[in-house]
Amino acid sequence: MTGRLICGLGHLLPAMLFLNSCATLSPEARVRAGLMDAGLPPATASCMAERMVDRLSLPQLRRIQSLASLRNSHMEELTVDRFLRKLRALEDPEIFVVTSKAAIACTLLG
């Protein structure tokens, strides 16, 4: 009986490790998900998150993630312009400047 239990747990270990790695997302992945949840297109969100994550503090990145609630009230895709207008409500000039620069760069790069 003990042998079967140990053998059975051996099969669960890789799955548990995989799930643990998924639970610890990088700050960039969290920002990307937050931007997409806010309604930005995936390509734009990915590009912007990559540029923003090294320039903002973790508390600032968390504040941006809070904008995901925007999507709940507007089910259509959010334009970058509209997103930046909502971002201004956070009243953090550094967040606004870094995010605006990322938005411009990502829009120009396509």
Side-chain angles (χ1 to χ4, degrees):
M1 174 91 174
T2 304
R4 277 194 227 162
L5 181 62
I6 292 172
C7 184
L9 290 176
H11 294 292
L12 289 176
L13 186 59
M16 290 168 41
L17 291 173
F18 176 76
L19 288 174
N20 186 35
S21 68
C22 290
T24 56
L25 293 175
S26 69
E28 182 179 335
R30 288 185 201 158
V31 172
R32 180 176 48 248
L35 293 173
M36 289 189 313
D37 288 346
L40 291 175
T44 303
S46 183
C47 179
M48 287 176 63
E50 182 180 335
R51 294 171 182 279
M52 293 163 51
V53 75
D54 293 329
R55 293 171 179 87
L56 295 173
S57 68
L58 286 176
Q60 288 174 315
L61 293 172
R62 285 188 192 107
R63 291 186 71 201
I64 293 170
Q65 278 184 291
S66 73
L67 295 176
S69 62
L70 293 174
R71 180 65 178 238
N72 296 337
S73 59
H74 306 290
M75 291 311 289
E76 72 275 0
E77 242 178 33
L78 190 65
T79 65
V80 172
D81 179 52
R82 221 166 119 206
F83 176 75
L84 291 175
R85 275 189 258 142
K86 298 288 186 184
L87 189 70
R88 237 178 231 263
L90 296 178
E91 296 181 350
D92 184 323
E94 188 175 16
I95 290 176
F96 186 77
V97 168
V98 169
T99 305
S100 297
K101 285 181 179 181
I104 291 167
C106 294
T107 301
L108 293 176
L109 293 175

